[in-house]
Amino acid sequence: MSFVNHEHKHIFVHVPKTAGTSMERRSFVGGSAHAGIKGLLNKHNKDYFKWAFVRNPFDRLVSFHTASQQHSKAFKEKIPESFTEFALRLDEFSDITHLQPQVDFLCIGDKLSMDFIGKYESLHRDWNLVCRILKIKDSQLPRLNKSDHPHWATQYNRELKLIVAKFYREDFSRLQYDISIPERNQDD
């Protein structure tokens, strides 16, 4: 959950499904809700170091769907069991915080308002960089809340790719993610 730390003078914006739960287990991060930067920033902390992590939108959606089926009774009752059916109906679930575009958490108006945006794809390298910036010595990051699923690319056909690319178009463009999906076998 997002967090303002006055001791270390930083603001952590927890974008859902980007390893934020693991980060929250660190005492200097903490958290209480999935709040965007707009709801956390004020005149008293405007000079704090503002940081977040993001994830490839294709991967993030598969991770959310899997977690909704494996770990959350509330989501499991609402979200179709089939990823294909879920993705085809993605617009119906746009009110779920965990599915909001990542840029919605990171922008004030149209401006990305973060000092650092780490990527899930380079999690440990970027996490260590955040720890160095904040002068945190013990930077071990636990691995929590992991969902078990095949590589995300195996879940997409052309139609689903287009639906998800449209739904998360701002994430792909502003967070510099490639809209192409690598060829993968179901066994990868």
Side-chain angles (χ1 to χ4, degrees):
M1 306 299 166
S2 301
F3 184 68
V4 177
N5 182 307
H6 299 290
E7 179 185 353
H8 293 284
K9 297 190 179 335
H10 73 91
I11 300 173
F12 166 61
V13 175
H14 180 174
V15 176
K17 300 310 300 171
T18 61
T21 300
S22 295
M23 294 172 202
E24 289 168 4
R25 295 304 185 262
R26 303 305 313 215
S27 62
F28 66 94
V29 179
S32 60
H34 288 289
I37 189 64
K38 185 176 180 180
L40 297 170
L41 199 59
N42 62 46
K43 66 181 179 180
H44 303 291
N45 62 25
K46 65 182 173 61
D47 295 326
Y48 286 14
F49 177 68
K50 298 166 285 301
W51 61 282
F53 274 74
V54 295
R55 186 175 190 170
N56 178 303
F58 290 127
D59 184 18
R60 181 173 172 246
L61 190 64
V62 169
S63 178
F64 168 79
H65 179 263
T66 303
S68 76
Q69 300 304 303
Q70 293 177 356
H71 306 298
S72 171
K73 184 177 180 183
F75 283 140
K76 189 172 185 170
E77 292 173 359
K78 184 174 184 178
I79 303 295
E81 186 175 346
S82 157
F83 179 77
T84 299
E85 182 183 347
F86 167 62
L88 288 171
R89 297 173 44 203
L90 187 56
D91 282 334
E92 293 177 35
F93 307 108
S94 63
D95 63 325
I96 296 175
T97 301
H98 287 67
L99 297 176
Q100 289 177 352
Q102 296 169 95
V103 295
D104 289 359
F105 293 91
L106 310 175
C107 289
I108 296 177
D110 287 336
K111 183 179 184 286
L112 279 173
S113 299
M114 307 303 294
D115 297 313
F116 179 78
I117 299 174
K119 296 221 171 170
Y120 181 86
E121 296 76 19
S122 53
L123 179 63
H124 294 290
R125 182 191 71 208
D126 290 351
W127 170 255
N128 287 331
L129 180 59
V130 167
C131 290
R132 279 196 304 277
I133 290 167
L134 296 175
K135 296 179 175 56
I136 303 297
K137 291 185 176 149
D138 179 16
S139 63
Q140 289 292 93
L141 186 62
R143 187 152 187 184
L144 304 170
N145 215 21
K146 181 183 180 328
S147 55
D148 184 29
H149 57 82
H151 190 275
W152 60 267
T154 63
Q155 304 299 305
Y156 289 90
N157 60 30
R158 179 173 163 65
E159 180 182 19
L160 298 183
K161 175 188 167 190
L162 293 174
I163 289 168
V164 173
K166 181 180 177 187
F167 190 85
Y168 290 116
R169 67 185 161 278
E170 289 296 314
D171 283 355
F172 281 104
S173 106
R174 299 190 73 190
L175 302 175
Q176 302 175 346
Y177 278 104
D178 188 351
I179 207 155
S180 64
I181 294 180
E183 292 293 323
R184 301 288 294 209
N185 294 328
Q186 285 281 56
D187 299 332
D188 286 353

